[in-house]
Amino acid sequence: MVTSVLPITKENIERAKELVTAGEVVAIPTETVYGLGGSAFDDNAVKRIFEVKGRPNDNPLIAHVHADYDLSKIIDYDPPCAKLLRKKFLPGPLTLVYPSTGKVSPYVSCGLNTLAVRVPAHVGAQAFLKAVDIPVVAPSANLSRHVSPTSAAHVYDDFAGKIPLILDGGEAVGGIESTVLDVSGEIPMLLRPGLVTKEEIERALGYEIATMSEPKQGERVKSPGVLYKHYSPRCPTKLFKAEEKATALQACLTEKEKGVTVAVLAEEGARKYFEERGFAVLSLGSTPQEMAASLYARLREAEQSFQLLVAIEPNEQGGVMTGVMNRLRKACTSSDVAH
Ligand code: AMP
Ligand code: MG
């Protein structure tokens, strides 16, 4: 199969619409990462997404809809807190998990009676969703466990020859996947941190929300996707805390002596320290937003040119950094958690 990479114009959106309507899978840009999109109503399209990604079949998908889509077609109950959060944050990088009507394919939520829904802010994504006017499931357009894609080129690297079309909407400005918040229970529960922060959600609601705790071995969890090793570059990694710079340097020196090519992944402030000592630095930038936007591109650069990635956690904590740290730690975990 030839994989076309085309700019997200009106004409190419029509082409993508035809493919998705016919049950095909196409890659689409969003403001977080690129997604692998297919009709949420089509069992075969949903199954194809799991297959082409190599995604475990207990990791549910998010349905993406345009801003004017009638949610009552797919969700059974719309709690007041969800209305408030939609008004404040959507379109944007916040996914809400609702009780499902069960109208979408049962493969979308992997047997759960809830449905995760997101309204992306990306103008091209909105235009595409408006054109198809159905919920489109769109997990990140990377092979399962590999680093998420923030450009059409990243998607091409993973799926050339496997999907017919990649709509190119430029670099994803957000850079990490959406915040996932379950609003199907008594108290909203944060399932995955992202660019819409826990602090912002609590400020908007006026009360504290729950956070899903790290699952233990064999435990049944609300959001199976959080269990898996994710976002990993194809080179080995070592992760150090911000205050462990000297230990990280020692590790770099030891590996260099063995002939291993080492890259250091760090915030801009730590660049000089490692560069002056002869190491290549892949800089994440300085602000939490810059670090979110650049993380995945840097991880992909690391695997292409180096044999070892030594990552240093940035200093700042909380807010957007909670999401960045969550991805960075998962990228540098050497084995599956609880699986
Ligand atoms: P991805 O599309 O790869 O960014 O992953 C989607 C994330 O949303 C995963 O962490 C899933 O576990 C989570 N998710 C999707 N649907 C549901 C649902 N119905 N309930 C809880 N979590 C969900
Ligand atoms: Mg993903």
Side-chain angles (χ1 to χ4, degrees), residues 88-108:
K88 174 95 182 148
F89 298 110
L90 301 191
L94 173 66
T95 295
L96 298 173
V97 177
Y98 303 88
S100 174
T101 54
K103 295 267 164 59
V104 298
S105 162
Y107 297 103
V108 171

Side-chain angles (χ1 to χ4, degrees), residues 55 59-62 97 112 114 116 139-140 191-192 222-223 225:
R55 186 176 174 103
N59 187 3
L61 305 179
I62 297 169
V97 177
L112 298 170
T114 49
S140 50
L191 302 180
R192 177 171 75 184
K222 264 188 164 284
S223 193

Side-chain angles (χ1 to χ4, degrees), residues 33 53 55 59 139-146 148-149 177 192 230-231:
V33 301
K53 271 182 67 81
R55 186 176 174 103
N59 187 3
S140 50
N142 55 281
L143 292 169
S144 193
R145 297 163 184 242
H146 193 211
S148 298
E177 299 80 354
R192 177 171 75 184
H230 269 101
Y231 328 115

Side-chain angles (χ1 to χ4, degrees), residues 148-284:
S148 298
T150 52
S151 70
H154 292 163
V155 181
Y156 192 82
D157 285 343
D158 280 15
F159 293 114
K162 294 185 184 142
I163 58 173
L165 176 61
I166 299 169
L167 287 178
D168 187 348
E171 298 222 341
V173 290
I176 58 171
E177 299 80 354
S178 60
T179 305
V180 180
L181 184 75
D182 185 351
V183 293
S184 70
E186 289 268 295
I187 299 170
M189 182 184 279
L190 186 70
L191 302 180
R192 177 171 75 184
L195 292 168
V196 174
T197 66
K198 181 174 193 239
E199 293 86 339
E200 286 175 308
I201 293 170
E202 290 182 333
R203 222 174 296 133
L205 293 176
Y207 56 85
E208 280 183 23
I209 60 170
T211 302
M212 192 178 65
S213 54
E214 280 294 310
K216 295 182 189 70
Q217 188 89 29
E219 194 179 346
R220 213 181 127 68
V221 292
K222 264 188 164 284
S223 193
V226 300
L227 290 175
Y228 293 105
K229 179 171 161 67
H230 269 101
Y231 328 115
S232 304
R234 293 194 169 119
C235 59
T237 53
K238 284 181 194 281
L239 179 65
F240 293 88
K241 299 227 173 299
E243 62 276 15
E244 292 173 339
K245 256 191 341 215
T247 321
L249 176 66
Q250 198 48 56
C252 291
L253 289 165
T254 308
E255 293 296 328
K256 194 177 175 184
E257 256 171 45
K258 287 192 235 158
V260 175
T261 56
V262 183
V264 176
L265 179 81
E267 63 186 318
E268 184 59 27
R271 178 203 284 274
K272 210 166 150 225
Y273 178 85
F274 289 97
E275 274 185 352
E276 280 179 349
R277 288 158 179 87
F279 289 96
V281 174
L282 301 172
S283 172
L284 290 168

